[in-house]
Amino acid sequence: NVSNKVSASPKGVDAWESDLSIGIRPVLGPVTFDLGYVRYLYSSAAFLADYGELYAKASFNPVEPVTVGGAVFYDPDGKNTYLEANAAVTFHENWSASAAVGLTTYGSGNPNDTSWNAGLSWSPYEWVKLDGRYYGGPTANKFVFAVSLSSSLKKIGMVH
């Protein structure tokens, strides 16, 4: 999975983020899991960095067209953990609205941060997603536009 995000502030575009992830997505009954590793690459005038996290996500559809879920991201280097609860509603022609609330705990002893996001997505193809989202919280108040390209080894014929 590859995702590129452009962050905008009132002063204009101020950052570029690329996320590279690998994982597995098993389905057990009504619950879909996503387990893996993601590497974040950032570039901006003030910030050049990259780091990675292990993640575990779970989601299910209690009623169509609603999906609810949760996620845990863990940075083994910084010992930071991010916990998230999220929900999405899919509507007309592959459009969806979603929102999440999260809590970051820092291994360095810094105070915990709460954050939230809400946005709209459109998937013109199964493997392409365009997402516009606002992020709010003590460390991020910004609008982000993301383009995600996603596939699997099974879909491209490498695994049966």
Side-chain angles (χ1 to χ4, degrees), residues 54 71 75 107 112:
L54 300 168
D75 170 11
N112 297 341

Side-chain angles (χ1 to χ4, degrees), residues 65-94:
V66 175
T67 301
V68 294
V72 175
F73 291 82
Y74 177 70
D75 170 11
D77 293 330
K79 308 289 189 250
N80 302 326
T81 303
Y82 174 74
L83 304 170
E84 179 183 277
N86 54 60
V89 176
T90 301
F91 50 95
H92 184 67
E93 297 296 323
N94 300 324

Side-chain angles (χ1 to χ4, degrees), residues 1 16 34 41 77 81 83 88 100-102 104 110 115 146 149 152 154:
N1 186 28
W16 183 271
D34 187 355
L41 308 169
D77 293 330
T81 303
L83 304 170
V101 62
T104 302
N110 291 335
S115 59
L149 307 174
S152 68
K154 187 173 186 177

